[in-house]
Amino acid sequence: MAETPLPYSEKVMDHFRNPRNVGVMENPSGVGKVGNPVCGDVMELFIKVENDIITDAKFRTFGCGAAIATSSMVTELVKGKSLEEALKISNKAVAEALGGLPPIKMHCSVLAEEALKAAIDDYRSKQQIAK
Amino acid sequence: MERIYLDYAATTPVHPEVVKVMQPYFYDKFGNASSLYSFGQEAKAALEESRQKVADFVGARPEEIVFTSGGSESNNTALKGVAFALRSKGNRIITSVVEHHAISEPCKFLAKEGFEIIILPVDKDGLVDPDAVRKALNDKTILVSIMHANNEIGTIQPIAEIGGICREKEVLFHTDAVQSVGHLPVRVSDLTVDLLSSSGHKFYGPKGVGFLYIRRGTKVKPLIQGGDQERRFRAGTENTAGIVGVAKAVEIAAAEMEAEGKQLAHLRDVLIQGLLKTVPDSRLNGHPAQRLPNNVNISFAYVEGESMLLNLDLEGIAASTGSACTSSSLEPSSVLLAIGLPAETAHGSIRFTLGKWTTRAQVDRVLDVFPKIVAKLRAMSPLYPGAKNG
């Protein structure tokens, strides 16, 4: 097998090669879509929420290796967390969970954090409407 | 797993014959070519023999060949050297939007120094219109610099035609021939150029050495001042081993280039046709016919270049991308934007460049592996509208 290319950690490459929770969720509780194809990355995050707990998460991402790995990691990190806990997941926490990211790739982790916040916002606004 | 190198436009391996002829100049014949004694004189003799070979190869006189550290130095010397030599005559320099950074960055520098830089557009295939060059010429124009063949999309410019226009208007013409020397026929008289840049490591020579052709009588200020080497166009003790290596690379090219070009053009077309056929929503970038025999540049919609590159690397295949994600600028390739690609399409481009040791089996391996990579990435792309029959 080829050596790990670019300055990516083994964990990044693991999540890149075998991304967790890829796909579209049927009837999600919340969806967050962030990024811009012009900039080269778009992240779509789906969450299922039951009793304020995120029970499931899925994603689809157009982007580089770091964007795909951070998306995958954030879906793993949020599962089982309460919405309050999930909102505390920072981009740094996502990057750290991946064993770090090259400096020019840190913006990808920001995208993951934003996608999560957007999905939770979406869920909450739907709840408001339901009330 | 066999590693497959398909990034020959980035750099080529050094030909074993080149390594062989270079070796004595590191230890036995290490002398300084400026020294009077025999150690120096044998280096000097090798240097001048090499200069003759390079001159013959491009149809120049030996005294018109200046050895440099490579393509970037040759380009910088041509642009800044002419600009500062002819400053009293005028300040307009004409170039194109698809030039290598080793041209566009010195141009930005010269713009800050008060020169007027005219950047000509290209058409959808990446071609500069010679008529646009003619129209951009005025009595303040001191230099036109248009590349011979593009490093990203492989498009070959109508250099002879542009050269003819410049010669008629008595304006100096430079071409960055880094991608073409050793791959396409390059004769300075046919191309009607006054200056021409080349780099050794793009055609199986060593890195860190190249040359600049400077037509007799052309005024050029040196970038590097010091001793009298290279007729004062370029000071510094000559890189004898590297120069001997470039001369050998030129010799090999003279013997093998034509057959190699035919072979590569065939493999190139197999790869292009194969990828366009098996991967839906893909398009070839660059001129369909007027292109380097080894260049394949294709955009794949809905996927991003770096993630394709990483997947290829996991399969042992080395290629290159025009996506922003491999650069620190976060901007996609300016060449791909210049030929009219939307940014998101530019992000999804991959360049394969073939070379002397590329085989049909390697091309077939890419054709086997690559469509699966695109399919995998599309399946996780939120931009992908989905399978047409799904």
Side-chain angles (χ1 to χ4, degrees):
Chain A
M1 194 49 69
E3 306 249 317
T4 301
L6 293 180
Y8 283 144
S9 69
E10 270 181 43
K11 216 155 192 180
V12 170
M13 286 311 291
D14 175 39
H15 275 263
F16 173 72
R17 288 165 67 180
N18 307 299
R20 281 53 150 185
N21 313 306
V22 177
V24 180
M25 186 183 284
E26 298 284 324
N27 306 315
S29 313
V31 184
K33 191 167 177 178
V34 296
N36 186 335
V38 172
C39 306
D41 39 24
V42 178
M43 207 175 275
E44 194 177 30
L45 187 69
F46 306 87
I47 51 170
K48 180 81 80 191
V49 182
E50 283 167 39
N51 301 324
D52 247 30
I53 304 285
I54 299 175
T55 55
D56 196 12
K58 275 187 175 294
F59 82 93
R60 288 198 305 173
T61 290
F62 161 82
C64 64
I68 290 170
T70 51
S71 310
S72 169
M73 181 51 86
V74 85
T75 58
E76 289 281 272
L77 289 177
V78 296
K79 277 200 224 175
K81 292 225 165 48
S82 70
L83 293 177
E84 283 315 308
E85 285 169 334
L87 280 171
K88 285 183 193 142
I89 296 173
S90 66
N91 73 304
K92 273 191 178 162
V94 179
E96 274 166 26
L98 284 167
L101 284 173
I104 67 160
K105 297 291 186 180
M106 281 306 287
H107 70 277
C108 298
S109 63
V110 175
L111 210 62
E113 182 189 321
E114 285 173 357
L116 176 59
K117 295 213 158 92
I120 293 172
D121 279 354
D122 181 51
Y123 166 72
R124 285 183 166 166
S125 64
K126 280 177 185 162
Q127 292 295 102
Q128 289 295 326
I129 294 163
K131 279 174 191 170
Chain B
M1 182 171 57
E2 185 207 3
R3 289 203 303 166
I4 298 176
Y5 185 76
L6 292 174
D7 204 14
Y8 280 84
T11 191
T12 59
V14 183
H15 196 291
E17 292 289 318
V18 169
V19 175
K20 212 165 106 186
V21 300
M22 288 173 70
Q23 263 162 354
Y25 293 93
F26 290 106
Y27 191 75
D28 288 334
K29 304 181 181 179
F30 64 89
N32 185 324
S34 300
S35 304
L36 194 64
Y37 42 72
S38 68
F39 291 94
Q41 291 310 301
E42 62 193 11
K44 175 89 177 159
L47 195 60
E48 295 317 319
E49 195 190 324
S50 300
R51 198 184 306 281
Q52 183 70 54
K53 283 178 188 168
V54 170
D56 289 346
F57 186 64
V58 297
R61 299 180 183 87
E63 64 272 22
E64 293 174 318
I65 301 298
V66 173
F67 288 110
T68 67
S69 65
S72 292
E73 187 191 321
S74 294
N75 283 338
N76 272 267
T77 303
L79 289 170
K80 295 175 192 168
V82 168
F84 290 124
L86 299 186
R87 194 167 211 171
S88 62
K89 283 193 154 183
N91 72 337
R92 176 175 284 203
I93 296 171
I94 299 167
T95 181
S96 87
V97 70
V98 293
E99 300 296 318
H100 190 272
H101 286 147
I103 293 290
S104 58
E105 288 299 315
C107 282
K108 280 184 204 163
F109 165 81
L110 289 170
K112 282 185 193 145
E113 293 291 311
F115 291 89
E116 183 197 15
I117 311 294
I118 305 292
I119 302 172
L120 298 176
V122 292
D123 69 9
K124 64 178 177 41
D125 295 323
L127 286 173
V128 173
D129 178 5
D131 213 42
V133 176
R134 185 188 292 278
K135 285 179 184 144
L137 290 168
N138 66 4
D139 58 2
K140 291 279 179 211
T141 310
I142 52 173
L143 180 67
V144 173
S145 179
I146 307 287
M147 74 199 318
H148 190 191
N150 186 266
N151 50 306
E152 290 186 44
I153 56 174
T155 298
I156 301 167
Q157 301 295 345
I159 293 302
E161 202 179 330
I162 296 168
I165 293 166
C166 295
R167 192 62 58 87
E168 176 198 321
K169 302 284 181 188
E170 296 179 348
V171 171
L172 293 178
F173 181 41
H174 165 254
T175 192
D176 170 359
V178 163
Q179 290 292 335
S180 59
V181 168
H183 302 284
L184 298 175
V186 170
R187 306 289 292 178
V188 293
S189 53
D190 295 346
L191 296 176
T192 328
V193 292
D194 300 289
L195 302 113
L196 179 143
S197 300
S198 173
S199 174
H201 75 106
K202 302 293 191 184
F203 60 104
Y204 316 107
K207 292 172 182 63
V209 59
F211 65 89
L212 176 64
Y213 159 76
I214 304 177
R215 189 173 174 235
R216 194 158 68 173
T218 306
K219 287 194 168 62
V220 177
K221 294 256 191 212
L223 280 189
I224 300 171
Q225 296 170 308
D228 287 341
Q229 295 93 347
E230 300 300 303
R231 298 173 61 246
R232 304 195 78 173
F233 282 116
R234 206 276 186 185
T237 299
E238 299 87 346
N239 173 7
T240 319
I243 290 167
V244 166
V246 163
K248 186 65 189 175
V250 149
E251 247 180 33
I252 295 169
E256 300 181 3
M257 187 173 81
E258 201 182 333
E260 184 180 316
K262 278 183 190 152
Q263 163 73 2
L264 291 182
H266 170 69
L267 290 176
R268 171 197 70 189
D269 294 340
V270 168
L271 187 52
I272 290 173
Q273 296 315 321
L275 288 174
L276 293 180
K277 208 173 95 187
T278 51
V279 186
D281 301 316
S282 54
R283 55 154 283 165
L284 178 69
N285 299 315
H287 198 283
Q290 215 167 305
R291 75 187 294 135
L292 285 169
N294 74 333
N295 176 288
V296 176
N297 188 313
I298 298 183
S299 291
F300 302 91
Y302 321 120
V303 288
E304 188 278 329
E306 193 217 75
S307 52
M308 286 189 273
L309 219 60
L310 285 174
N311 275 301
L312 279 168
D313 192 57
L314 291 168
E315 297 287 343
I317 300 165
S320 160
T321 173
S323 172
C325 277
T326 50
S327 73
S328 49
S329 70
L330 303 181
E331 291 285 326
S333 149
S334 56
V335 173
L336 296 176
L337 298 180
I339 59 169
L341 290 198
E344 58 265 46
T345 312
H347 284 297
S349 73
I350 290 280
R351 179 190 74 179
F352 297 101
T353 44
L354 288 50
K356 205 181 272 295
W357 293 287
T358 304
T359 63
R360 175 64 195 249
Q362 292 179 333
V363 168
D364 286 343
R365 175 103 204 292
V366 174
L367 287 174
D368 176 42
V369 162
F370 198 71
K372 294 173 199 162
I373 289 174
V374 176
K376 179 187 170 184
L377 291 170
R378 281 182 176 169
M380 66 171 93
S381 170
L383 306 181
Y384 187 49
K388 293 213 165 85
N389 302 320

